[in-house]
Amino acid sequence: MDNRVVNVVIAGLGGQGVLLASDILAEAALRAGYEVKKSEVHGMSQRGGFVASDVRFGRAEVFSPMVPEGEADFVVVLAEDQVDAARPFLRPGGQLLTPDWIDGKALSNRRTLNVAMLGALSVSLDFAEAAWREALTKRVPGKYRDVNDKAFAAGREAGLRRRD
Amino acid sequence: MSVDRQLLSGNEAVALAALHCGIALGTGYPGTPSTEILEVFSELGGRAQWAPNEKVAVEVALGAAYAKARALATMKHVGLNVASDPFFTAAYTGISGALIVVSADDPGMASSQNEQDNRWYAAAAGVPMLEPSDSQEAYDFFAEAVRISERWRLPVLFRMTTRVCNSKTLVHPSMPVLPAPGTAFERDIPGRVMIPAYARAAHRRLREKLTQITEWNETSALNRRIAGEKALGLIASGIAYMHAREAAPRASVLKLGLTYPLPMRSIRSFVESVERCVVIEEGDPYLAEAIRAEGLAVESKPPMYRFGELTVGRVRRILARDEAPEPAPPRGKPPSLCPTCPYRPVFQALKDLDCIVAGDIGCYTLGVLPPFEAMDTCVCMGASLGVGLGLRHALPPQEARRVVSVIGDSTFVHSGISGLVEMVYNPPTTGHVVLILDNGTTAMTGRQEHPATGRALDHEPTGKLVIEDLARALGVEQVDVTDPALNPDGFRTLLQDRLASGKTSVVIARRPCLLAAGAIKTYERAAAEKCKEDAE
Ligand SMILES: Cc1ncc(C[n+]2csc(CCOP(=O)(O)OP(=O)(O)O)c2C)c(N)n1
């Protein structure tokens, strides 16, 4: 992999687990051996409004923690009605991952959509499986682990199907 | 990959540094983006407590630092307005231990009522200021702030911004743990009692210390030069440094860490070493004005970039002298009152009764949005009381009777109490109604405790301020406690009656925040069990 910084924006509504998803992604990137930064804004996000979190990683030093406007390689959106709001973050040729990728029936609990979307994203990243596993262990409390592992696997399958 | 690298937010890094530096007491008042510092410090085992407001927090920390302890006070930028009175004079008295005041500024107003730039406070008060650019620096600079504070016996302003507080970046927590020093009281009447005769000497002492710190700062490792092209030099601090490095990777850079008092000789030599020198800073032209005042030719950003946060894209445009209107940033769904918020009936009643609402700050400020639009003013914490009274005094009686002050429980304790005293002391001829929305928590900033919840920062039981008792004791003529969600019609009738009464009135609308109710029950159960055990 070259020295380019990979830019990911995860967006959704307050309460959907946007920040947890970006925490897991950043931890996984760290465990995959990358330099990493992530950034978001707290506060009003708890009030059900639009939330976006930026994760950036690369082999060389990452400076700004914020994804420059219109330069996201991946935009992952958790809420159907926020897709249009999130689209401008994407660079030309970047990949938009939307919640309709995940079949509703594939998730036993819709609240794990955030982790399922990471599963879908994982198909496009070169992180070892162990990096994801360790990141999930670090960020997801024990009793929710199983349902989140299943969500990640379901998302990954959906991602693979899209690619094929 | 080394295991000792942790991904920490700037706030978490400060909390960890505070622990490692032997901070004996951390105090503050919640406020985005500063809130997590004390919460994490407490989780890590530090002694942390919420003060009723930022002024009290700085005073408590100051007292601890007079006793030779290392103390920390945290707040958001506007919190320093509240705490500015002790802050200014603490620079005169100095301290015996260490006193670090964290100001978390919010350029772009992600969650604030203004985007004031608190770097001016350092210059105005004569307090040394450090500005970290990421979490590693938040950690390292904090220890340096403690050293500076102890060496010069001065408070230090630790100025962070939203993106430094909330971004997670890698940290090597490398510092040896410094044991807290022993505490003792040293009497120093001329040094600590600021009557004019002593304060005049104290002001001279402060300026002398600042001269020494300026000299020290000329060679301090807190400021760094990054070698680059001669054609372009950038001067930056805080998060702006990160955007600048990315926007102009080949430029020479002078990165400033200790930004008050400024190392002007170093700055001069840098400016003279490059052909074009641009100051990249977020917010006000604090650095640019200071540097230009020295007669140095530096470029500042065009005025349009004073508004909002900087980004890599904006820094590129500043460097290109691009003043074209910027595209609006992507905007999704705005925040709103929770669909099940028990205070919805309150806003419905205010709307139905066509009240003039002097509002305040908290979740309930969202009552300004449709469908209610039931708020007419919102300035700063506590202002609902004074503004409501002023409206009552000035308006013709028919209109004055429609005025209500609406304030949350945490905000009331923060700075509403003196407004209540004012209402009793200078009552409007039409009386007045203060509506306190007591949801049992500081919901806006993530559900922190406050004195009227009867629980401390770590949710353990402590002394409890009973708002209705306080209101009665102050001499308010009518005090009611009601649950607006249980009986919305009864609430409306009560409010209508109190508005017409011509008396001074406090109505406490009490119903726990739905997001906090579960946790509150758990804390109460734990406290009850502990009580039982103690009794046995
Ligand atoms: C001086 C100052 N300190 C802190 C804040 C941040 N802040 C805004 S409102 C608020 C308290 C809100 O609590 P409460 O009044 O109980 O209302 P709720 O959000 O629970 O409805 C805080 C901490 C601020 N705006 N100004």
Side-chain angles (χ1 to χ4, degrees):
Chain A
M1 186 124 185
D2 56 23
N3 275 344
R4 237 176 43 80
V5 170
V6 176
N7 292 316
V8 183
V9 174
I10 304 180
L13 293 172
Q16 281 198 303
V18 169
L19 306 190
L20 175 63
S22 64
D23 271 338
I24 295 169
L25 173 60
E27 286 288 349
L30 172 64
R31 283 166 171 72
Y34 288 103
E35 294 299 313
V36 58
K37 287 190 177 177
K38 78 153 226 163
S39 177
E40 71 241 352
V41 166
H42 295 187
M44 288 302 224
S45 57
Q46 290 189 331
R47 246 42 76 196
F50 178 76
V51 189
S53 179
D54 298 356
V55 180
R56 316 188 71 201
F57 53 90
R59 296 285 171 211
E61 186 170 0
V62 179
F63 287 109
S64 173
M66 296 155 76
V67 172
E69 333 158 15
E71 292 187 18
D73 301 289
F74 302 95
V75 171
V76 180
V77 193
L78 305 185
E80 202 59 65
D81 60 353
Q82 301 302 306
V83 172
D84 286 337
R87 204 187 304 272
F89 292 115
L90 202 63
R91 72 167 161 78
Q95 192 175 35
L96 183 69
L97 290 78
T98 51
D100 60 337
W101 282 34
I102 313 289
D103 177 5
K105 288 188 284 287
L107 299 181
S108 61
N109 183 343
R110 198 65 194 166
R111 293 185 63 172
T112 57
L113 176 68
N114 56 348
V115 171
M117 293 302 291
L118 288 181
L121 175 69
S122 73
V123 173
S124 307
L125 304 178
D126 64 353
F127 303 174
E129 203 197 321
W132 286 108
R133 222 179 17 245
E134 286 169 30
L136 281 162
T137 303
K138 170 125 197 215
R139 292 289 167 185
V140 179
K143 62 174 170 171
Y144 300 115
R145 184 55 202 277
D146 203 41
V147 59
N148 277 290
D149 279 350
K150 288 199 179 109
F152 188 87
R156 194 170 164 87
E157 233 171 77
L160 285 168
R161 267 199 310 277
R162 287 264 163 179
R163 197 175 60 176
D164 299 338
Chain B
M1 183 195 73
S2 76
V3 277
D4 60 353
R5 293 203 313 173
Q6 304 178 37
L7 254 181
L8 298 180
S9 70
N11 284 345
E12 290 167 336
V14 167
L16 189 63
L19 190 80
H20 291 176
C21 287
I23 292 291
L25 178 65
T27 174
Y29 181 75
T32 312
S34 71
T35 313
E36 295 89 2
I37 297 173
L38 289 184
E39 291 177 326
V40 175
F41 183 54
S42 175
E43 280 162 26
L44 293 172
R47 178 167 174 198
Q49 51 198 44
W50 293 128
N53 64 39
E54 295 86 352
K55 177 177 188 287
V56 176
V58 167
E59 288 156 352
V60 169
L62 179 62
Y66 282 161
K68 289 195 165 181
R70 297 190 182 124
L72 164 67
T74 68
M75 60 207 64
K76 69 185 286 157
H77 59 343
V78 286
L80 193 52
N81 298 336
V82 177
S84 59
D85 208 357
F87 182 75
F88 273 71
T89 305
Y92 278 26
T93 67
I95 46 167
S96 302
L99 174 57
I100 313 300
V101 176
V102 173
S103 164
D105 292 12
D106 190 12
M109 295 174 276
S111 193
S112 302
Q113 70 266 38
N114 76 20
E115 56 181 334
Q116 67 183 56
D117 187 333
N118 275 11
R119 293 178 299 172
W120 302 111
Y121 266 118
V127 169
M129 167 169 63
L130 275 68
E131 289 188 81
S133 296
D134 62 11
S135 303
Q136 181 70 57
E137 284 191 353
Y139 180 84
D140 293 336
F141 281 20
F142 191 86
E144 200 55 48
V146 170
R147 279 186 213 112
I148 291 168
S149 184
E150 286 190 338
R151 173 161 174 201
W152 279 285
R153 300 186 148 220
L154 276 181
V156 170
L157 182 63
F158 201 75
R159 193 256 186 178
M160 303 171 78
T161 55
T162 299
R163 295 291 171 174
V164 176
C165 291
N166 287 344
S167 296
K168 290 193 177 173
T169 71
L170 292 168
V171 178
H172 289 271
S174 50
M175 196 192 304
V177 175
L178 308 178
T183 54
F185 182 69
E186 270 173 6
R187 174 158 286 148
D188 174 11
I189 290 174
R192 293 283 150 77
V193 182
M194 290 298 101
I195 57 172
Y198 295 155
R200 285 182 198 113
H203 187 197
R204 287 173 196 282
R205 271 199 304 280
L206 169 62
R207 294 297 152 191
E208 175 53 33
K209 288 180 187 179
L210 291 170
T211 305
Q212 289 174 23
I213 297 171
T214 308
E215 199 50 43
W216 179 83
N217 198 24
E218 291 289 356
T219 54
S220 159
L222 288 164
N223 312 307
R224 288 193 285 131
R225 263 168 96 147
I226 292 95
E229 289 175 356
K230 202 173 149 53
L232 178 64
L234 307 178
I235 300 177
S237 65
I239 196 68
Y241 163 78
M242 293 296 174
H243 303 324
R245 284 299 302 276
E246 183 154 338
R250 286 192 296 276
S252 309
V253 181
L254 175 62
K255 179 192 185 308
L256 297 172
L258 199 164
T259 45
Y260 184 83
L262 285 166
M264 278 303 173
R265 281 207 306 280
S266 312
I267 292 172
R268 176 178 295 276
S269 95
F270 178 77
V271 174
E272 286 168 355
S273 74
V274 293
E275 284 153 25
R276 177 186 175 207
C277 189
V278 187
V279 177
I280 302 295
E281 62 188 322
E282 205 165 56
D284 294 345
Y286 165 82
L287 292 173
E289 283 185 9
I291 294 169
R292 284 181 174 162
E294 292 287 311
L296 294 168
V298 290
E299 264 177 60
S300 183
K301 62 190 177 190
M304 60 184 279
Y305 296 102
R306 184 176 189 148
F307 306 99
E309 289 189 290
L310 286 188
T311 59
V312 173
R314 296 187 94 195
V315 173
R316 286 186 193 129
R317 293 198 285 278
I318 290 169
L319 293 175
R321 302 189 177 104
D322 179 352
E323 296 188 52
E326 298 177 278
R331 289 247 184 273
K333 180 177 173 286
S336 57
L337 273 185
C338 295
T340 49
C341 176
Y343 288 89
R344 288 188 162 245
V346 170
F347 289 105
Q348 192 58 52
L350 290 166
K351 184 182 162 98
D352 293 349
L353 297 175
D354 195 23
C355 289
I356 298 169
V357 179
D360 224 301
I361 308 191
C363 276
Y364 52 95
T365 311
L366 295 168
V368 69
L369 301 175
F372 306 111
E373 299 181 80
M375 191 164 293
D376 296 292
T377 71
C378 168
V379 182
C380 64
M381 288 186 73
S384 60
L385 277 286
V387 168
L389 291 166
L391 285 165
R392 284 254 179 182
H393 291 314
L395 289 171
Q398 244 5 57
E399 281 207 280
R401 271 189 264 279
R402 290 164 52 207
V403 179
V404 186
S405 296
V406 175
I407 186 167
D409 48 339
S410 186
T411 304
F412 174 74
V413 178
H414 176 279
S415 48
I417 297 174
S418 24
L420 212 52
V421 174
E422 165 72 6
M423 176 172 84
V424 171
Y425 186 55
N426 294 310
T429 48
T430 58
H432 188 47
V433 178
V434 175
L435 179 53
I436 301 177
L437 307 184
D438 181 4
N439 62 359
T441 189
T442 315
M444 179 81 196
T445 43
R447 304 187 288 280
Q448 289 73 30
E449 305 289 355
H450 60 72
T453 70
R455 285 180 302 274
L457 183 144
D458 61 1
H459 310 294
E460 291 295 320
T462 182
K464 176 172 176 158
L465 172 77
V466 180
I467 297 175
E468 52 273 34
D469 292 355
L470 175 74
R472 289 192 189 102
L474 289 178
V476 176
E477 289 166 296
Q478 293 168 324
V479 179
D480 299 280
V481 182
T482 172
D483 180 340
L486 207 59
N487 182 0
D489 291 335
F491 175 78
R492 188 206 322 256
T493 311
L494 175 72
L495 184 60
Q496 201 164 14
D497 182 75
R498 294 305 180 244
L499 284 167
S501 73
K503 295 192 172 139
T504 57
S505 180
V506 165
V507 176
I508 300 168
R510 181 167 290 152
R511 174 88 175 197
C513 162
L514 271 181
L515 298 175
I520 293 175
K521 282 222 177 75
T522 311
Y523 305 142
E524 284 175 347
R525 223 176 292 128
E529 258 159 47
K530 188 150 178 289
C531 243
K532 222 165 62 195
E533 271 168 34
D534 290 350
E536 276 162 14

